[in-house]
Amino acid sequence: MKNALLTLAGVAFFSCSALAQTDTLHAPAAVLPNVYADPHIAAFGNKFYIYPTTDGSEGWNSSSFTAWSSKDLVKWKYEKVILDLPKDLSWAKARAWAPAIAYKNGQYYYYFTADVNIGVAVSDKPVGPFKDALGKPLIKKGMLKGQMIDPMVFVDDDGEAYLYFGQGNCNIVKLGADMVSYDSTKVATFKPKGYNEGSFVFKRKGTYYLMWSEYDTRDPRYSVAYATSKSPLGPFVKAENHPVLKGKGVVKGAGHHSVVRVPGTDDWYIAYHRFKIPGGNGYNRETCISPMRFDEQGNILPVDVFEKLKPVKVK
């Protein structure tokens, strides 16, 4: 009888352990309240910041951008509206999507999509207020094939800055020293296999990583792949272990990400959106953060969207 009870206990323990390893019905909570998508995460000083798209409207018709700050990646503080299209722009009033931010020249440059154009605004603080730098789009709708959306700016170690953008194709151009100009004859266009939108670039140990989202943001299969290069302009070679971020179980549509390194460390985190849980879809998405790790060869390891996020500190 004793042996039988031990056997039953062992089976129960094994079952519970197996369930804990395979349970895909209980995902960690989103880091921002309500519905926000396309998060661009950055570290400035001793704080982290997220710049998202305000979600929740059919056709993604939001008209303003917000900023959020955190000291530990877990608890986030709402700062304010940092750019209001109807008030702050003369050339677009709606469809405020997928922003990015970069720091150079003692200024913060905020790149954003507005009515399928790309604009740039500037401030001396990471939470604004931001002022339209040009009074017109930096990248105008219809300038190239595909949609002129999803800007990303990477500032290299030598101070040179590069703009990545586009849906359907990935476009790259070196920015001028002023961060608001470029040579339109030097825009390079290419399409990695599977590329759709949401490009993001970072550098680690001399390697440039170009990441992007595949499928459509309304598709539960929405996911993230990447390629590497020894130059910010490429050529980029797609990694074999893709996608590195994808949904599973209750997590659907995990994509349109950004990446941040904890200053002073080699610890990396990926911010992304997923369909809101429960009842979300491509217009109702929520922002999440997960650890992102590398193997000894520098390959990005698959992200576990069920790993609980632990607080971190900027040293």
Side-chain angles (χ1 to χ4, degrees), residues 45-66:
N46 63 349
K47 285 187 178 181
F48 299 97
Y49 296 86
I50 285 180
Y51 305 87
T53 296
T54 302
D55 218 13
S57 60
E58 190 83 13
W60 311 291
N61 282 316
S62 62
S63 60
S64 63
F65 292 103
T66 61

Side-chain angles (χ1 to χ4, degrees), residues 48-108:
F48 299 97
Y49 296 86
I50 285 180
Y51 305 87
T53 296
T54 302
D55 218 13
S57 60
E58 190 83 13
W60 311 291
N61 282 316
S62 62
S63 60
S64 63
F65 292 103
T66 61
W68 301 72
S69 67
S70 174
K71 293 183 178 180
D72 64 2
L73 289 180
V74 173
K75 296 179 181 178
W76 289 87
K77 175 187 174 183
Y78 172 73
E79 293 291 347
K80 57 187 173 183
V81 171
I82 59 173
L83 190 70
D84 186 288
L85 271 53
K87 293 180 181 178
D88 299 329
L89 299 186
S90 61
W91 48 272
K93 303 301 178 186
R95 294 196 281 180
W97 304 342
I101 196 166
Y103 178 77
K104 187 179 175 181
N105 306 327
Q107 298 282 306
Y108 296 90

Side-chain angles (χ1 to χ4, degrees), residues 3 84 130 140 288:
N3 290 338
D84 186 288
F130 285 86
K140 192 173 181 180
C288 304

